Amino acid sequence: MHVRFRTSVDRLRAVWWVSAVVLIAMGVFFLSVPVRRGIGAQASSGGIKGSNYGLGRQFRLGIKASPAIVQADLGRFLWFVDTKVGQVAISNPGNAEASVSIHIQGLAQDDEGRLRFIPATREIASALSVSKRSFSLAPGASRNVNLTLDSGYARRRDSAGLCAALKVRCLPSSSYACASSCVTSPGIMVPVLVRLPGNSENCIAVEDVCMRADDGDGTNRVRIKIRNEGGAYVVANGVLRLERKGSSSRDGGVLGFQVAPGLVLPGCSRWLEAQIPRNRLRVGDYEASFEIEANGKTGLKSSFMMNVDQSGRVAICVP
């Protein structure tokens, strides 16, 4: 009897130990699942923030140029002609290495002064040289690019200048080409405006004068359309003078308003504008005249008549 009882106890102990081992194994298995999930979530979150895991990291490519526009008036000494147009600093503000390329483009302009970039003619593409047309830029790095005009073009007597643009583009370098996420920049345009030596004449003409529609602020805007009939770019500005008929010096005399400066490309026309604040004009007829300068030299003068009615509406009569 005693032997059987002891055998039963041994069997119970064995079953208990086996059950304990099984329960411990099951507990370890179930507890390990959320731990692994937690580690995975931490790694993904760190990748988004830019950790070394790289999971979900977004690479950004950008490009900047300084100056935003290149203007050069080339000089001459005896038979030596200056051909150095200028220098442009290209920088990469992104967080990935960029492969930069530069191409020559043509330049045009609409009547509101907005620049348009067009394919360059063979003459323009061969006249303007870039020291480096393709290179790599590390994040935060910059590189200077020198612009030079062909010496033969600079000595030409049948041309007064050159208008072109640099089309600067950037793409991911080979080390980032397979990145899962890379935001690229559409590129930038840098206008390049050159006046050749000996070009001192400015050929500009007036095409039209009108009033701009009221924008709701009560400001009267006199618009003067200028055409550049020369071969080089000009920066035009001037002054508009108004004198009310029958007025005396006690009435304020002649009123002067600045004509805002504007770039006018060769062969193009654009509007310049003078703003007259609200309540500066009284009812009556005015003799108006303006002088327009191009590159600091008086280019043209013209006059017209203006009328202000009881409602404050301004009308222009061009002779």
Side-chain angles (χ1 to χ4, degrees), residues 3 137 200 245 277 310:
V3 175
L137 274 182
S200 58
K245 281 189 173 183
Q310 295 290 340

Side-chain angles (χ1 to χ4, degrees), residues 199-280:
N199 181 14
S200 58
E201 295 184 0
N202 299 309
C203 300
I204 57 175
V206 178
E207 287 192 343
D208 195 8
V209 179
C210 70
M211 294 295 298
R212 180 178 175 180
D214 187 4
D215 292 336
D217 59 358
T219 301
N220 294 296
R221 294 172 172 82
V222 179
R223 288 163 60 85
I224 306 169
K225 195 171 188 178
I226 304 297
R227 179 170 181 81
N228 182 0
E229 298 179 341
Y233 78 95
V234 299
V235 178
N237 66 296
V239 60
L240 171 68
R241 296 183 176 90
L242 303 177
E243 184 175 7
R244 186 168 175 269
K245 281 189 173 183
S247 64
S248 62
S249 58
R250 291 179 300 176
D251 296 328
V254 179
L255 301 176
F257 305 94
Q258 293 297 317
V259 178
L263 171 70
V264 191
L265 298 185
C268 297
S269 302
R270 70 160 296 173
W271 291 100
L272 303 180
E273 192 172 275
Q275 296 187 5
I276 305 174
R278 177 188 295 183
N279 300 328
R280 285 299 303 274

